Amino acid sequence: MTGEGNAPLKTITIVGGGTAGWMAAALLSRLLLGYRIRLIESDEIGTIGVGEATIPAIRTYNQLAGIDEFEMVRATQGTFKLGIEFVNWQAPGASYIHGFGKIGQDLYWLHCHQFWLKARAAGRARHLDHYALNTLMARMNRFAMPDPSHPHSPIAGIDYAYHFDASLYARYLRGRAERQGVERIEGRIVGANRRGEDGHLDHVVLADGRTVDGDLFIDCSGMRGLLIGEAMGVGYEDWDRWLLCDRAIAVPCERAPALTPYTRSIAHGAGWQWRIPLQHRTGNGHVYASRHISDDEAAAVLMGNLDGRPLADPRPVRFRPGKRHRAWEKNVVALGLAGGFLEPLESTRIHMIQTGILRLISLFPGRAFDPADVAEYNRQTDFEYRDVRDFIVAHYKVTDREDTPFWSYCKTMDIPDSLTERLELFRASARFFMRGKAELFREESWVQVLLGQGLPARYDPVVDMIPDADAAAFLKDVEEVTADVAASLPTHDAFIARHCKAPAPVV
Protein backbone atom coordinates (compact mmCIF):
# COMPACT_ATOMS: atom_id res chain seq x y z
CA MET A 1 0.00 0.00 0.00
CA THR A 2 1.29 3.46 -0.88
CA GLY A 3 0.12 6.94 -0.07
CA GLU A 4 0.83 9.94 2.09
CA GLY A 5 1.13 7.80 5.23
CA ASN A 6 4.09 5.91 3.80
CA ALA A 7 5.69 8.93 2.14
CA PRO A 8 9.24 9.45 3.34
CA LEU A 9 10.32 12.33 5.50
CA LYS A 10 12.52 14.97 3.94
CA THR A 11 14.11 16.92 6.76
CA ILE A 12 15.64 15.81 10.07
CA THR A 13 16.42 18.62 12.48
CA ILE A 14 18.71 17.89 15.43
CA VAL A 15 18.51 20.35 18.31
CA GLY A 16 21.75 20.49 20.28
CA GLY A 17 25.29 19.42 19.49
CA GLY A 18 27.62 17.82 22.00
CA THR A 19 28.13 14.09 22.02
CA ALA A 20 24.48 13.14 21.47
CA GLY A 21 23.81 15.57 18.65
CA TRP A 22 26.93 14.84 16.65
CA MET A 23 26.71 11.08 17.20
CA ALA A 24 23.21 11.23 15.71
CA ALA A 25 24.29 13.50 12.85
CA ALA A 26 27.36 11.42 11.96
CA LEU A 27 25.53 8.10 11.87
CA LEU A 28 22.24 9.22 10.33
CA SER A 29 24.02 11.08 7.54
CA ARG A 30 25.98 7.94 6.71
CA LEU A 31 23.13 5.43 6.83
CA LEU A 32 20.07 7.45 5.72
CA LEU A 33 20.63 8.63 2.17
CA GLY A 34 18.52 11.33 0.54
CA TYR A 35 17.50 13.17 3.71
CA ARG A 36 18.29 16.75 4.60
CA ILE A 37 19.89 16.72 8.05
CA ARG A 38 20.47 19.90 10.02
CA LEU A 39 21.92 20.43 13.49
CA ILE A 40 21.32 23.56 15.54
CA GLU A 41 23.76 24.48 18.29
CA SER A 42 25.03 27.62 19.92
CA ASP A 43 28.60 28.54 20.74
CA GLU A 44 27.13 30.51 23.65
CA ILE A 45 26.23 27.24 25.38
CA GLY A 46 29.46 25.66 26.53
CA THR A 47 30.17 22.00 27.15
CA ILE A 48 31.92 20.50 30.14
CA GLY A 49 34.36 18.49 28.03
CA VAL A 50 35.07 15.87 30.67
CA GLY A 51 36.89 12.64 30.16
CA GLU A 52 34.35 10.12 28.94
CA ALA A 53 34.43 6.36 29.40
CA THR A 54 32.62 3.90 27.13
CA ILE A 55 31.73 0.23 26.93
CA PRO A 56 32.65 -2.22 24.14
CA ALA A 57 29.43 -1.72 22.16
CA ILE A 58 30.76 1.62 20.95
CA ARG A 59 32.91 -0.33 18.53
CA THR A 60 29.68 -1.26 16.71
CA TYR A 61 28.89 2.43 16.35
CA ASN A 62 32.38 3.06 14.98
CA GLN A 63 31.99 0.32 12.40
CA LEU A 64 28.58 1.57 11.25
CA ALA A 65 29.84 5.14 11.09
CA GLY A 66 32.95 4.12 9.15
CA ILE A 67 35.32 5.32 11.87
CA ASP A 68 38.91 4.13 12.05
CA GLU A 69 39.50 3.51 15.74
CA PHE A 70 43.18 4.51 15.83
CA GLU A 71 42.37 7.76 14.04
CA MET A 72 39.57 8.43 16.53
CA VAL A 73 41.79 7.65 19.53
CA ARG A 74 44.46 10.05 18.26
CA ALA A 75 41.93 12.80 17.56
CA THR A 76 40.36 12.56 21.02
CA GLN A 77 43.48 12.07 23.19
CA GLY A 78 42.00 8.67 23.87
CA THR A 79 43.13 5.55 25.67
CA PHE A 80 41.78 2.01 25.86
CA LYS A 81 39.53 0.56 28.53
CA LEU A 82 39.40 -3.04 29.73
CA GLY A 83 36.94 -2.45 32.57
CA ILE A 84 36.27 -0.44 35.73
CA GLU A 85 38.01 -0.76 39.08
CA PHE A 86 35.67 -0.25 42.04
CA VAL A 87 37.50 0.92 45.15
CA ASN A 88 35.84 1.14 48.62
CA TRP A 89 32.47 -0.08 47.34
CA GLN A 90 32.14 -3.32 49.28
CA ALA A 91 34.03 -1.83 52.22
CA PRO A 92 36.75 0.80 52.75
CA GLY A 93 39.97 -0.55 51.27
CA ALA A 94 38.29 -3.24 49.15
CA SER A 95 38.81 -3.34 45.39
CA TYR A 96 37.62 -5.37 42.41
CA ILE A 97 37.47 -4.91 38.66
CA HIS A 98 34.38 -5.24 36.50
CA GLY A 99 36.21 -6.35 33.38
CA PHE A 100 34.94 -6.87 29.86
CA GLY A 101 35.19 -10.29 28.29
CA LYS A 102 34.97 -13.80 29.74
CA ILE A 103 35.86 -15.05 33.19
CA GLY A 104 38.23 -17.96 32.55
CA GLN A 105 36.52 -20.72 30.63
CA ASP A 106 33.70 -23.19 31.21
CA LEU A 107 34.07 -26.79 32.34
CA TYR A 108 31.22 -28.73 30.80
CA TRP A 109 28.27 -26.31 31.17
CA LEU A 110 29.52 -24.88 34.46
CA HIS A 111 31.02 -21.40 34.52
CA CYS A 112 34.40 -20.67 36.03
CA HIS A 113 33.06 -18.53 38.88
CA GLN A 114 31.16 -21.53 40.25
CA PHE A 115 34.41 -23.42 40.85
CA TRP A 116 36.00 -20.26 42.22
CA LEU A 117 33.23 -19.90 44.81
CA LYS A 118 33.79 -23.43 46.10
CA ALA A 119 37.56 -22.99 46.19
CA ARG A 120 37.30 -19.63 47.92
CA ALA A 121 35.10 -21.10 50.65
CA ALA A 122 37.88 -23.62 51.28
CA GLY A 123 40.57 -20.91 51.26
CA ARG A 124 42.15 -22.17 48.04
CA ALA A 125 41.43 -19.36 45.56
CA ARG A 126 42.98 -16.00 44.82
CA HIS A 127 40.99 -12.84 44.12
CA LEU A 128 38.57 -13.31 41.21
CA ASP A 129 40.54 -10.72 39.21
CA HIS A 130 43.23 -13.39 38.61
CA TYR A 131 40.89 -15.65 36.62
CA ALA A 132 39.81 -13.27 33.84
CA LEU A 133 42.28 -11.95 31.28
CA ASN A 134 40.77 -8.48 31.00
CA THR A 135 40.91 -7.86 34.73
CA LEU A 136 44.45 -9.18 35.12
CA MET A 137 45.62 -7.15 32.12
CA ALA A 138 44.12 -4.09 33.78
CA ARG A 139 45.93 -4.82 37.05
CA MET A 140 49.20 -5.18 35.12
CA ASN A 141 48.63 -2.13 32.85
CA ARG A 142 48.79 -4.32 29.74
CA PHE A 143 46.81 -3.98 26.52
CA ALA A 144 46.43 -5.72 23.18
CA MET A 145 43.74 -6.25 20.60
CA PRO A 146 41.90 -9.58 20.52
CA ASP A 147 43.57 -12.18 18.31
CA PRO A 148 40.96 -14.51 16.76
CA SER A 149 43.74 -16.56 15.14
CA HIS A 150 44.22 -18.19 18.55
CA PRO A 151 40.63 -19.30 19.30
CA HIS A 152 41.66 -21.57 22.19
CA SER A 153 43.65 -18.87 23.97
CA PRO A 154 42.07 -16.23 26.23
CA ILE A 155 43.67 -13.62 23.97
CA ALA A 156 40.89 -14.28 21.46
CA GLY A 157 38.34 -13.04 23.98
CA ILE A 158 39.89 -9.69 24.91
CA ASP A 159 37.14 -7.08 24.89
CA TYR A 160 37.68 -3.37 25.16
CA ALA A 161 36.29 0.12 24.88
CA TYR A 162 37.74 3.64 25.02
CA HIS A 163 38.33 6.69 27.17
CA PHE A 164 38.36 10.02 25.35
CA ASP A 165 37.83 13.75 25.75
CA ALA A 166 34.10 14.27 25.19
CA SER A 167 34.47 17.69 23.58
CA LEU A 168 37.15 16.40 21.20
CA TYR A 169 34.96 13.42 20.33
CA ALA A 170 32.04 15.72 19.46
CA ARG A 171 34.41 17.85 17.35
CA TYR A 172 35.70 14.75 15.55
CA LEU A 173 32.17 13.55 14.77
CA ARG A 174 31.14 17.03 13.66
CA GLY A 175 33.88 17.01 11.05
CA ARG A 176 32.70 13.68 9.70
CA ALA A 177 29.04 14.70 9.73
CA GLU A 178 29.65 17.96 7.89
CA ARG A 179 31.71 16.17 5.24
CA GLN A 180 28.71 13.85 4.81
CA GLY A 181 26.41 16.80 4.13
CA VAL A 182 25.03 17.73 7.55
CA GLU A 183 24.24 21.45 7.78
CA ARG A 184 25.22 23.11 11.06
CA ILE A 185 23.12 26.11 12.07
CA GLU A 186 24.60 28.42 14.67
CA GLY A 187 21.96 29.83 16.96
CA ARG A 188 20.31 29.76 20.36
CA ILE A 189 16.76 28.44 20.46
CA VAL A 190 14.26 30.64 22.33
CA GLY A 191 10.97 29.01 21.34
CA ALA A 192 9.24 26.08 19.67
CA ASN A 193 5.88 26.10 17.88
CA ARG A 194 3.55 23.15 17.45
CA ARG A 195 0.98 22.62 14.73
CA GLY A 196 -2.59 23.09 15.84
CA GLU A 197 -4.08 20.26 13.80
CA ASP A 198 -2.03 17.36 15.15
CA GLY A 199 0.22 18.76 17.87
CA HIS A 200 3.43 17.93 16.00
CA LEU A 201 6.35 20.30 16.31
CA ASP A 202 6.43 22.63 13.32
CA HIS A 203 9.50 24.78 13.90
CA VAL A 204 11.87 26.22 16.45
CA VAL A 205 12.65 29.91 16.83
CA LEU A 206 16.19 31.25 17.20
CA ALA A 207 17.21 34.29 19.24
CA ASP A 208 17.76 36.36 16.10
CA GLY A 209 14.23 35.64 14.84
CA ARG A 210 15.06 32.91 12.33
CA THR A 211 12.88 29.81 12.29
CA VAL A 212 13.99 26.27 11.49
CA ASP A 213 11.41 23.66 10.56
CA GLY A 214 11.63 19.90 10.19
CA ASP A 215 9.66 16.72 9.61
CA LEU A 216 11.44 14.86 12.42
CA PHE A 217 13.08 16.62 15.36
CA ILE A 218 15.75 14.99 17.52
CA ASP A 219 16.11 16.59 20.93
CA CYS A 220 19.74 16.58 22.07
CA SER A 221 19.38 19.67 24.25
CA GLY A 222 20.59 17.97 27.42
CA MET A 223 18.81 17.75 30.75
CA ARG A 224 16.71 20.78 29.91
CA GLY A 225 14.74 18.72 27.40
CA LEU A 226 13.92 21.80 25.35
CA LEU A 227 11.70 19.95 22.89
CA ILE A 228 10.57 16.73 24.58
CA GLY A 229 9.87 18.40 27.92
CA GLU A 230 9.21 22.11 27.43
CA ALA A 231 7.58 22.02 23.99
CA MET A 232 5.90 18.59 23.98
CA GLY A 233 5.11 18.43 27.70
CA VAL A 234 6.40 14.91 28.35
CA GLY A 235 6.88 14.40 32.08
CA TYR A 236 9.73 12.86 34.03
CA GLU A 237 9.92 9.79 36.28
CA ASP A 238 12.24 10.34 39.25
CA TRP A 239 14.35 7.47 40.60
CA ASP A 240 15.93 9.37 43.49
CA ARG A 241 14.62 6.89 46.08
CA TRP A 242 17.13 4.35 44.69
CA LEU A 243 19.78 6.64 43.21
CA LEU A 244 20.54 9.34 45.76
CA CYS A 245 23.30 11.14 43.88
CA ASP A 246 22.01 14.31 42.23
CA ARG A 247 25.10 16.46 41.66
CA ALA A 248 28.62 16.20 40.28
CA ILE A 249 31.77 18.29 40.19
CA ALA A 250 34.23 17.71 37.33
CA VAL A 251 37.85 18.81 36.95
CA PRO A 252 40.79 17.70 34.79
CA CYS A 253 44.26 17.28 36.24
CA GLU A 254 47.74 16.38 35.08
CA ARG A 255 47.98 12.82 33.86
CA ALA A 256 49.59 10.12 35.94
CA PRO A 257 52.98 8.71 34.84
CA ALA A 258 51.40 5.45 33.68
CA LEU A 259 48.24 5.23 31.57
CA THR A 260 45.94 2.69 33.18
CA PRO A 261 43.71 0.78 30.75
CA TYR A 262 40.66 1.03 32.99
CA THR A 263 38.35 3.55 34.60
CA ARG A 264 38.50 3.89 38.37
CA SER A 265 35.45 4.49 40.58
CA ILE A 266 36.32 5.34 44.18
CA ALA A 267 33.49 5.33 46.70
CA HIS A 268 33.46 8.16 49.24
CA GLY A 269 31.18 8.95 52.16
CA ALA A 270 28.26 10.31 50.13
CA GLY A 271 28.96 9.26 46.56
CA TRP A 272 31.88 8.30 44.37
CA GLN A 273 34.71 9.71 42.28
CA TRP A 274 35.56 8.86 38.69
CA ARG A 275 39.07 8.78 37.28
CA ILE A 276 39.46 8.53 33.51
CA PRO A 277 43.01 8.43 32.07
CA LEU A 278 43.57 10.32 28.81
CA GLN A 279 46.79 10.83 26.91
CA HIS A 280 47.07 14.52 27.79
CA ARG A 281 45.39 14.60 31.20
CA THR A 282 43.22 12.71 33.69
CA GLY A 283 39.50 13.37 33.88
CA ASN A 284 38.02 13.42 37.38
CA GLY A 285 34.66 14.00 38.94
CA HIS A 286 32.80 13.54 42.21
CA VAL A 287 29.21 12.32 41.95
CA TYR A 288 27.39 12.90 45.22
CA ALA A 289 24.11 13.22 47.10
CA SER A 290 23.49 16.86 48.04
CA ARG A 291 21.30 15.84 50.96
CA HIS A 292 24.31 14.13 52.56
CA ILE A 293 27.21 16.46 51.72
CA SER A 294 27.55 20.14 50.86
CA ASP A 295 28.91 21.37 47.55
CA ASP A 296 32.00 22.78 49.25
CA GLU A 297 32.68 19.52 51.09
CA ALA A 298 32.20 17.53 47.87
CA ALA A 299 34.65 19.80 46.05
CA ALA A 300 37.20 19.38 48.83
CA VAL A 301 36.93 15.59 48.58
CA LEU A 302 37.53 15.73 44.84
CA MET A 303 40.41 18.18 44.94
CA GLY A 304 42.08 16.20 47.69
CA ASN A 305 42.10 13.00 45.62
CA LEU A 306 43.63 13.96 42.26
CA ASP A 307 46.59 12.39 40.44
CA GLY A 308 48.28 15.73 39.99
CA ARG A 309 47.84 19.47 39.64
CA PRO A 310 44.33 20.55 38.56
CA LEU A 311 44.22 22.08 35.08
CA ALA A 312 40.97 24.06 35.45
CA ASP A 313 38.46 25.18 38.02
CA PRO A 314 35.94 22.55 39.15
CA ARG A 315 32.65 22.70 37.23
CA PRO A 316 29.37 21.76 38.93
CA VAL A 317 26.56 19.76 37.32
CA ARG A 318 23.08 19.14 38.71
CA PHE A 319 20.91 16.28 37.52
CA ARG A 320 17.79 14.25 38.26
CA PRO A 321 18.19 10.48 38.14
CA GLY A 322 15.32 9.06 36.12
CA LYS A 323 13.80 9.16 32.64
CA ARG A 324 11.14 10.79 30.51
CA HIS A 325 7.81 9.00 30.49
CA ARG A 326 8.23 8.72 26.74
CA ALA A 327 11.35 9.24 24.63
CA TRP A 328 9.35 9.65 21.41
CA GLU A 329 6.36 12.01 21.32
CA LYS A 330 4.67 12.73 17.99
CA ASN A 331 7.55 13.92 15.74
CA VAL A 332 10.11 14.52 18.52
CA VAL A 333 12.64 11.92 19.67
CA ALA A 334 14.81 12.59 22.74
CA LEU A 335 18.39 11.32 22.82
CA GLY A 336 20.94 11.44 25.59
CA LEU A 337 20.28 13.56 28.65
CA ALA A 338 17.09 14.98 27.11
CA GLY A 339 15.57 11.52 27.55
CA GLY A 340 16.86 10.73 31.02
CA PHE A 341 19.85 10.56 33.32
CA LEU A 342 21.61 7.61 34.89
CA GLU A 343 24.84 8.40 36.69
CA PRO A 344 27.94 7.33 34.75
CA LEU A 345 28.92 4.60 37.19
CA GLU A 346 29.04 1.93 34.45
CA SER A 347 29.82 4.27 31.54
CA THR A 348 26.42 3.84 29.90
CA ARG A 349 25.71 7.41 28.72
CA ILE A 350 27.19 7.13 25.24
CA HIS A 351 25.87 3.60 24.85
CA MET A 352 22.31 4.77 25.47
CA ILE A 353 22.74 7.53 22.91
CA GLN A 354 23.96 4.88 20.48
CA THR A 355 21.07 2.48 21.10
CA GLY A 356 18.61 5.35 20.83
CA ILE A 357 19.95 6.21 17.37
CA LEU A 358 19.98 2.59 16.20
CA ARG A 359 16.47 2.08 17.56
CA LEU A 360 15.30 5.14 15.64
CA ILE A 361 16.85 3.80 12.44
CA SER A 362 15.19 0.41 12.91
CA LEU A 363 11.79 2.07 13.49
CA PHE A 364 12.33 5.03 11.18
CA PRO A 365 8.99 6.67 10.43
CA GLY A 366 7.21 7.87 7.36
CA ARG A 367 5.20 11.07 7.37
CA ALA A 368 2.33 9.41 9.21
CA PHE A 369 4.46 8.62 12.29
CA ASP A 370 2.60 5.36 12.85
CA PRO A 371 1.67 5.05 16.55
CA ALA A 372 2.80 1.41 16.55
CA ASP A 373 6.36 2.42 15.68
CA VAL A 374 6.35 5.14 18.33
CA ALA A 375 4.96 2.78 20.98
CA GLU A 376 7.58 0.12 20.24
CA TYR A 377 10.39 2.66 20.43
CA ASN A 378 9.15 3.83 23.80
CA ARG A 379 8.69 0.29 25.07
CA GLN A 380 12.25 -0.69 24.18
CA THR A 381 13.67 2.53 25.61
CA ASP A 382 11.78 2.07 28.86
CA PHE A 383 13.09 -1.50 29.20
CA GLU A 384 16.66 -0.36 28.59
CA TYR A 385 16.54 2.40 31.17
CA ARG A 386 15.06 0.13 33.83
CA ASP A 387 17.53 -2.64 33.05
CA VAL A 388 20.54 -0.32 33.41
CA ARG A 389 18.99 1.30 36.48
CA ASP A 390 18.80 -2.05 38.25
CA PHE A 391 22.45 -2.78 37.52
CA ILE A 392 23.54 0.57 38.93
CA VAL A 393 21.30 0.26 42.00
CA ALA A 394 22.90 -3.14 42.73
CA HIS A 395 26.24 -1.40 43.32
CA TYR A 396 24.70 0.61 46.15
CA LYS A 397 22.44 -2.05 47.62
CA VAL A 398 24.96 -4.90 47.74
CA THR A 399 27.56 -3.58 50.16
CA ASP A 400 28.94 -4.15 53.63
CA ARG A 401 29.21 -0.40 54.23
CA GLU A 402 27.16 1.29 56.92
CA ASP A 403 29.76 3.81 58.01
CA THR A 404 27.88 6.93 56.84
CA PRO A 405 24.18 7.85 56.64
CA PHE A 406 24.43 7.64 52.83
CA TRP A 407 25.71 4.07 52.82
CA SER A 408 23.43 2.99 55.64
CA TYR A 409 20.43 4.14 53.60
CA CYS A 410 21.68 2.42 50.44
CA LYS A 411 22.30 -0.90 52.17
CA THR A 412 18.83 -1.04 53.77
CA MET A 413 16.71 0.66 51.08
CA ASP A 414 13.85 -1.05 49.29
CA ILE A 415 14.75 -1.83 45.69
CA PRO A 416 12.76 -2.62 42.53
CA ASP A 417 11.20 -6.10 42.50
CA SER A 418 13.05 -6.86 39.26
CA LEU A 419 16.38 -6.45 41.07
CA THR A 420 15.26 -8.29 44.20
CA GLU A 421 14.45 -11.37 42.10
CA ARG A 422 17.90 -11.34 40.52
CA LEU A 423 19.72 -11.00 43.83
CA GLU A 424 17.74 -13.82 45.42
CA LEU A 425 18.47 -16.18 42.52
CA PHE A 426 22.16 -15.34 42.62
CA ARG A 427 22.36 -15.87 46.37
CA ALA A 428 20.81 -19.31 45.96
CA SER A 429 23.35 -20.73 43.51
CA ALA A 430 25.31 -17.93 41.79
CA ARG A 431 23.21 -18.45 38.67
CA PHE A 432 22.22 -15.69 36.31
CA PHE A 433 19.85 -15.80 33.36
CA MET A 434 19.25 -13.18 30.70
CA ARG A 435 15.69 -11.96 30.38
CA GLY A 436 16.00 -10.92 26.77
CA LYS A 437 18.37 -9.88 24.01
CA ALA A 438 17.84 -6.22 24.88
CA GLU A 439 19.67 -6.53 28.20
CA LEU A 440 22.89 -4.56 28.17
CA PHE A 441 24.91 -6.26 30.91
CA ARG A 442 25.63 -9.94 30.43
CA GLU A 443 26.28 -12.66 32.96
CA GLU A 444 29.99 -11.91 33.38
CA SER A 445 29.20 -8.31 34.34
CA TRP A 446 26.64 -9.25 36.97
CA VAL A 447 28.92 -11.98 38.36
CA GLN A 448 31.89 -9.68 38.80
CA VAL A 449 29.86 -6.87 40.34
CA LEU A 450 27.75 -8.99 42.71
CA LEU A 451 30.72 -11.01 43.93
CA GLY A 452 32.94 -7.94 44.02
CA GLN A 453 30.36 -6.06 46.07
CA GLY A 454 30.31 -8.95 48.54
CA LEU A 455 26.95 -10.63 47.89
CA PRO A 456 26.96 -13.96 49.74
CA ALA A 457 26.28 -16.68 47.18
CA ARG A 458 26.30 -20.49 47.25
CA TYR A 459 27.87 -22.24 44.30
CA ASP A 460 25.88 -24.39 41.89
CA PRO A 461 25.45 -27.79 43.64
CA VAL A 462 26.34 -29.59 40.41
CA VAL A 463 29.93 -28.41 40.94
CA ASP A 464 30.21 -31.18 43.55
CA MET A 465 29.84 -33.67 40.70
CA ILE A 466 33.43 -32.81 39.69
CA PRO A 467 36.11 -34.49 41.85
CA ASP A 468 37.89 -31.93 44.03
CA ALA A 469 41.27 -32.68 42.51
CA ASP A 470 39.96 -32.14 38.99
CA ALA A 471 38.21 -28.91 39.95
CA ALA A 472 41.36 -27.61 41.64
CA ALA A 473 43.48 -28.48 38.61
CA PHE A 474 41.00 -26.76 36.30
CA LEU A 475 41.02 -23.56 38.36
CA LYS A 476 44.81 -23.59 38.68
CA ASP A 477 45.15 -23.99 34.91
CA VAL A 478 42.85 -21.01 34.30
CA GLU A 479 44.88 -18.90 36.70
CA GLU A 480 48.25 -19.87 35.23
CA VAL A 481 47.25 -19.46 31.59
CA THR A 482 45.66 -16.09 32.33
CA ALA A 483 48.82 -14.89 34.11
CA ASP A 484 51.13 -16.12 31.32
CA VAL A 485 49.11 -14.47 28.56
CA ALA A 486 48.78 -11.18 30.43
CA ALA A 487 52.51 -11.03 31.12
CA SER A 488 53.29 -11.56 27.43
CA LEU A 489 51.36 -8.48 26.27
CA PRO A 490 52.72 -4.93 25.80
CA THR A 491 52.03 -2.20 28.28
CA HIS A 492 49.13 0.12 27.60
CA ASP A 493 51.55 3.04 27.15
CA ALA A 494 53.64 1.09 24.65
CA PHE A 495 50.59 0.03 22.63
CA ILE A 496 49.36 3.62 22.37
CA ALA A 497 52.83 4.93 21.50
CA ARG A 498 53.08 2.43 18.66
CA HIS A 499 49.58 2.69 17.18
CA CYS A 500 47.69 5.84 18.12
CA LYS A 501 49.70 8.45 20.00
CA ALA A 502 47.96 11.81 19.89
CA PRO A 503 49.77 14.99 18.90
CA ALA A 504 50.61 17.30 21.77
CA PRO A 505 47.60 19.50 22.57
CA VAL A 506 47.73 23.13 21.49
CA VAL A 507 48.02 25.33 24.56
Side-chain angles (χ1 to χ4, degrees), residues 30-293:
R30 180 175 172 86
L31 299 184
L32 299 180
L33 304 180
Y35 292 86
R36 182 185 185 190
I37 301 176
R38 301 179 294 192
L39 185 147
I40 307 169
E41 67 175 349
S42 172
D43 289 334
E44 296 177 24
I45 302 173
T47 58
I48 295 177
V50 298
E52 187 89 48
T54 61
I55 60 177
I58 193 175
R59 287 154 49 203
T60 300
Y61 175 89
N62 284 348
Q63 292 165 5
L64 291 172
I67 291 172
D68 176 272
E69 65 178 331
F70 288 168
E71 176 188 84
M72 185 273 291
V73 169
R74 282 191 293 270
T76 62
Q77 294 284 342
T79 60
F80 294 93
K81 176 183 173 183
L82 295 167
I84 306 171
E85 181 190 20
F86 288 92
V87 180
N88 300 336
W89 280 82
Q90 178 191 358
S95 168
Y96 72 93
I97 292 180
H98 167 200
F100 308 135
K102 285 181 62 65
I103 303 171
Q105 61 182 7
D106 296 344
L107 182 59
Y108 302 115
W109 66 92
L110 295 166
H111 299 322
C112 184
H113 74 274
Q114 297 287 0
F115 296 93
W116 178 84
L117 279 168
K118 183 176 181 180
R120 184 187 64 167
R124 297 195 301 267
R126 301 183 71 183
H127 194 288
L128 186 61
D129 287 354
H130 289 271
Y131 300 86
L133 182 57
N134 270 54
T135 56
L136 193 59
M137 287 169 62
R139 292 289 186 197
M140 298 172 65
N141 278 5
R142 306 286 178 142
F143 183 77
M145 296 291 185
D147 184 357
S149 67
H150 294 82
H152 302 296
S153 167
I155 199 172
I158 294 173
D159 209 355
Y160 66 93
Y162 315 101
H163 307 112
F164 46 63
D165 183 308
S167 60
L168 294 179
Y169 185 59
R171 183 187 304 173
Y172 174 76
L173 293 177
R174 173 184 169 180
R176 296 185 64 87
E178 290 185 317
R179 289 193 295 273
Q180 291 164 186
V182 173
E183 175 190 0
R184 180 187 180 274
I185 299 174
E186 166 64 32
R188 180 170 56 87
I189 295 173
V190 296
N193 288 0
R194 298 171 66 175
R195 299 197 298 256
E197 64 270 21
D198 59 8
H200 283 223
L201 192 65
D202 183 70
H203 63 268
V204 295
V205 182
L206 306 186
D208 61 5
R210 288 176 294 161
T211 62
V212 182
D213 61 4
D215 298 319
L216 171 68
F217 289 85
I218 301 178
D219 188 353
C220 300
S221 64
M223 284 177 273
R224 180 181 175 185
L226 179 63
L227 302 186
I228 195 71
E230 294 183 14
M232 306 306 292
V234 176
Y236 199 86
E237 181 179 343
D238 284 295
W239 288 341
D240 55 1
R241 63 190 181 279
W242 300 308
L243 298 170
L244 276 62
C245 295
D246 59 351
R247 295 187 187 179
I249 300 174
V251 65
C253 74
E254 294 175 326
R255 58 160 281 184
L259 286 178
T260 54
Y262 56 91
T263 307
R264 180 174 291 145
S265 169
I266 307 163
H268 293 305
W272 59 278
Q273 177 180 337
W274 77 72
R275 177 190 176 278
I276 297 175
L278 304 176
Q279 292 189 45
H280 63 324
R281 68 188 188 192
T282 298
N284 310 275
H286 185 191
V287 179
Y288 61 97
S290 62
R291 74 192 80 170
H292 288 283
I293 188 173

Side-chain angles (χ1 to χ4, degrees), residues 394-426:
H395 294 66
Y396 290 104
K397 176 65 175 178
V398 181
T399 180
D400 295 331
R401 294 192 63 163
E402 295 182 86
D403 52 301
T404 68
F406 173 87
W407 286 105
S408 180
Y409 175 91
C410 291
K411 182 176 180 179
T412 59
M413 67 180 171
D414 292 330
I415 56 176
D417 291 343
S418 51
L419 177 56
T420 298
E421 294 164 1
R422 286 214 143 133
L423 298 185
E424 289 177 349
L425 178 63
F426 198 83

Side-chain angles (χ1 to χ4, degrees), residues 277-465:
L278 304 176
Q279 292 189 45
H280 63 324
R281 68 188 188 192
T282 298
N284 310 275
H286 185 191
V287 179
Y288 61 97
S290 62
R291 74 192 80 170
H292 288 283
I293 188 173
S294 71
D295 295 342
D296 289 343
E297 290 171 324
V301 169
L302 175 62
M303 301 304 285
N305 289 278
L306 300 179
D307 283 345
R309 179 176 60 87
L311 301 177
D313 293 329
R315 298 188 62 174
V317 181
R318 297 189 179 195
F319 52 82
R320 291 170 62 192
K323 61 175 287 293
R324 296 283 170 187
H325 293 310
R326 296 175 300 283
W328 186 341
E329 180 76 359
K330 298 188 182 298
N331 65 335
V332 173
V333 176
L335 288 180
L337 300 179
F341 182 90
L342 290 169
E343 60 190 74
L345 184 60
E346 284 286 354
S347 310
T348 52
R349 186 178 83 90
I350 284 181
H351 177 76
M352 296 179 81
I353 296 170
Q354 173 181 325
T355 55
I357 299 168
L358 295 177
R359 191 175 300 124
L360 175 60
I361 292 171
S362 68
L363 290 164
F364 201 76
R367 286 188 176 274
F369 287 91
D370 195 299
D373 293 332
V374 176
E376 179 61 18
Y377 187 97
N378 287 329
R379 186 196 67 78
Q380 292 184 24
T381 303
D382 184 76
F383 177 89
E384 179 178 55
Y385 266 91
R386 295 178 191 279
D387 172 52
V388 175
R389 175 204 65 191
D390 282 2
F391 191 57
I392 294 174
V393 171
H395 294 66
Y396 290 104
K397 176 65 175 178
V398 181
T399 180
D400 295 331
R401 294 192 63 163
E402 295 182 86
D403 52 301
T404 68
F406 173 87
W407 286 105
S408 180
Y409 175 91
C410 291
K411 182 176 180 179
T412 59
M413 67 180 171
D414 292 330
I415 56 176
D417 291 343
S418 51
L419 177 56
T420 298
E421 294 164 1
R422 286 214 143 133
L423 298 185
E424 289 177 349
L425 178 63
F426 198 83
R427 282 191 185 97
S429 54
R431 295 181 179 124
F432 180 88
F433 296 95
M434 301 294 294
R435 293 171 176 166
K437 292 182 179 179
E439 287 194 54
L440 172 57
F441 293 103
R442 303 297 175 179
E443 179 173 357
E444 292 85 358
S445 294
W446 281 92
V447 166
Q448 290 174 96
V449 168
L450 295 183
L451 294 180
Q453 295 285 142
L455 184 71
R458 294 188 293 269
Y459 61 84
D460 188 325
V462 180
V463 167
D464 288 332
M465 175 186 74

